[in-house]
Amino acid sequence: MVIKVFLASSSGSTAIKKKQQDVVGFLEALKIDYSQLDIASNEENRQWMRENVPGEMKPTGGIPLPPQIFNEQIYCGDYETFFNAKEDNAVYEFLGLSPPPGSKRKEIQEAEQNGDAHPAELEDAQEEKEEEDEPEAEEEDESREVAVEENQDEGDEDKVEDTHLVSEADEDLMSEDEEELQKLEEEEEEEQGSEEAED
């Protein structure tokens, strides 16, 4: 079974381009086999897509816009329904595919098919699995906090070094100012001395 994604390669709409990229990127991230069918350069693809999108899914204008997603000949949905499935963590069901082994959805499906567990037990099993995953998240949080603290300590050390540099610069400026003041005072004293001598 191949997932078909109908796209418009030369669409002038940035919204449509973003939606297409979102669908394609997500399918690639999940390593789901799919084929892209361009409706902009291939009239047959355009006609097929328009004819096979169910009437209730067509917009009021009557022309469905890309991206449109099919599993072989079976219509899956447009971007909005895809996005909702993604939010509900139900993309495999949306596409009519069975979840890969090891995923939570796969475990629940198998338990339901075997009749081994009641819904309450399935929920408990899922909660247990989530709790097992939590310590890792806590460890990650702790390691992040340690890294933040280390960064703050380094920042404090940098600040201390900066204040040393600032204070040295201040000292240089102060000593220059003091020297100038001394010179001015000496000059004033000399002038006063010469004035007194003349009197």
Side-chain angles (χ1 to χ4, degrees), residues 5-25:
V5 183
F6 287 84
L7 309 169
S9 61
S10 59
S11 172
S13 165
T14 53
I16 287 176
K17 286 179 182 174
K18 283 181 182 177
K19 289 176 181 179
Q20 293 175 164
Q21 288 171 349
D22 190 20
V23 170
V24 168

Side-chain angles (χ1 to χ4, degrees), residues 107-119 121-122:
E107 291 170 11
I108 292 169
Q109 271 186 353
E110 287 174 356
E112 286 173 347
Q113 286 171 357
N114 297 336
D116 293 343
H118 298 288
E121 290 175 359
L122 290 172

Side-chain angles (χ1 to χ4, degrees), residues 133-195:
D133 295 341
E134 280 178 15
E136 292 175 14
E138 287 173 10
E139 286 173 17
E140 286 176 14
D141 290 342
E142 286 175 13
S143 62
R144 275 195 208 111
E145 286 174 12
V146 169
V148 167
E149 286 174 9
E150 287 174 359
N151 286 342
Q152 286 176 342
D153 291 344
E154 288 173 13
D156 292 343
E157 288 171 14
D158 290 344
K159 285 179 189 171
V160 170
E161 287 175 18
D162 289 346
T163 53
H164 286 304
L165 292 173
V166 168
S167 60
E168 287 172 14
D170 286 346
E171 287 172 15
D172 291 343
L173 286 173
M174 285 172 61
S175 60
E176 286 175 16
D177 290 343
E178 286 172 2
E179 285 174 21
E180 282 182 39
L181 278 172
Q182 259 183 331
K183 283 181 187 174
L184 286 171
E185 286 172 4
E186 287 171 7
E187 286 172 8
E188 283 177 13
E189 285 173 10
E190 285 175 16
E191 284 176 16
Q192 285 176 354
S194 62
E195 285 174 9

